[in-house]
Amino acid sequence: MKDSNEPASRREAETNMPFEIDPASVRTEYELLHLLRRLISRYGFAHFMIARLPLADEQRFSERLVLSNWPAELVQQYDAGETFQTSELVERLRQTKLPVTGGPELMEPAGKGGGKAAVFRLPPHAGMGHFAVLLHTTYGEPFVAVLSGTRDEPAGAERATLYLALLQLFECLERTFDAGSGAREKLSSREVECLRWAAAGKSSDEIAIILGISAYTVSSYFKSATRKLDAVNRMQAIARAMRMKLI
């Protein structure tokens, strides 16, 4: 019995230890993702998500996501159902600065006339609880951070520790936003145009027709923009440009 209880005791001891983060030491998005994975692993969650808080516009859920390990098919379901911006979770976060916790009902549309589909019932969120906080950038832009899993609802010191950890991680994330000001100055107007049209779903050939240039030139603009944004491919360049509000 002693041997069987030892791993559980060790996990409990680790959970009670502070999750220490030095924001100044985190320089890349990869390092931030690694820390988020460590956080959910230590505290027994399965998923994390940081997104811009939905406002009055009709921007798709996937376009508001900043960092997430949600399955792609689940993100697509939220896009199709248009339920996140009308969810109980978002409604409650708008009314408090304290953490919001609850079960699958948090993803249900609040009140009447919600989204098109009850996607909150779909896996993997069907039986999960959520721990969410509202965070703001230095300039006041609101973001929501959510940890999801089948574990018990955080309480007491653990609740405070999770809030502080997410606040520190968001501080790291905001530093990556600041890096976008340099990229904005480096990107040419044509590179920005190509990225903007690509984000709207246009192909290279279509962009070439729209801008009155050759497809080869469009490809060159994508290559240079991808390099300037320190991205590995066109899709990542578009995603980073959107996060940095370049497009």
Side-chain angles (χ1 to χ4, degrees):
M1 290 295 291
K2 182 178 180 180
D3 291 340
S4 63
N5 289 334
E6 187 174 347
S9 300
R10 189 160 55 243
R11 285 195 300 271
E12 183 177 355
E14 290 177 353
T15 299
N16 291 331
M17 292 175 61
F19 189 81
E20 296 181 356
I21 301 168
D22 178 12
S25 68
V26 181
R27 301 183 180 276
T28 67
E29 191 175 288
Y30 175 81
E31 291 172 327
L32 186 56
L33 285 168
H34 177 69
L35 284 172
L36 280 164
R37 292 189 180 102
R38 277 183 50 202
L39 180 70
I40 64 172
S41 175
R42 173 180 288 194
Y43 291 97
F45 292 98
H47 299 288
F48 63 83
M49 181 269 285
I50 299 178
R52 289 181 170 84
L53 189 73
L55 301 175
D57 57 18
E58 295 298 325
Q59 194 175 24
R60 295 169 58 197
F61 171 63
S62 58
E63 294 174 354
R64 305 200 70 84
L65 273 182
V66 178
L67 291 176
S68 166
N69 70 340
W70 284 20
E73 58 271 19
L74 185 63
V75 174
Q76 291 168 1
Q77 290 287 350
Y78 276 97
D79 265 345
E82 298 180 4
T83 58
F84 185 73
Q85 59 265 41
T86 62
S87 67
E88 180 71 21
L89 173 67
V90 169
E91 183 65 22
R92 288 177 58 183
L93 283 172
R94 288 191 175 120
Q95 299 174 15
T96 182
K97 295 180 178 65
L98 299 176
V100 169
T101 59
E105 73 281 354
L106 285 180
M107 295 301 179
E108 184 175 359
K112 297 180 180 179
K116 297 177 182 177
V119 296
F120 68 94
R121 294 195 184 96
L122 299 174
H125 283 173
M128 286 192 176
H130 307 284
F131 177 91
V133 297
L134 181 65
L135 302 168
H136 291 83
T137 65
T138 305
Y139 304 103
E141 185 180 4
F143 284 72
V144 52
V146 183
L147 305 179
S148 305
T150 56
R151 51 150 291 162
D152 294 337
E153 182 176 309
E158 185 183 45
R159 186 184 178 99
T161 298
L162 285 170
Y163 187 95
L164 178 60
L166 288 172
L167 186 62
Q168 291 176 318
L169 288 167
F170 188 72
E171 172 77 10
C172 299
L173 180 61
E174 190 173 0
R175 289 173 182 269
T176 69
F177 294 161
D178 293 339
S181 59
R184 183 187 297 274
E185 296 172 358
K186 293 178 182 178
L187 287 179
S188 70
S189 59
R190 281 300 199 190
E191 289 166 345
V192 172
E193 283 183 303
C194 287
L195 289 170
R196 184 177 293 120
W197 282 115
K202 302 298 184 182
S203 67
S204 292
D205 290 338
E206 290 172 324
I207 295 172
I209 294 172
I210 293 169
L211 299 181
I213 57 180
S214 70
Y216 174 81
T217 303
V218 171
S219 179
S220 297
Y221 283 136
F222 277 126
K223 287 180 181 178
S224 58
T226 299
R227 174 177 50 79
K228 291 176 182 179
L229 291 168
D230 195 26
V232 298
N233 55 40
R234 182 182 303 190
M235 293 304 297
Q236 188 180 49
I238 293 170
R240 288 191 174 183
M242 293 177 69
R243 285 201 296 270
M244 294 174 179
K245 294 187 175 181
L246 302 178
I247 58 176

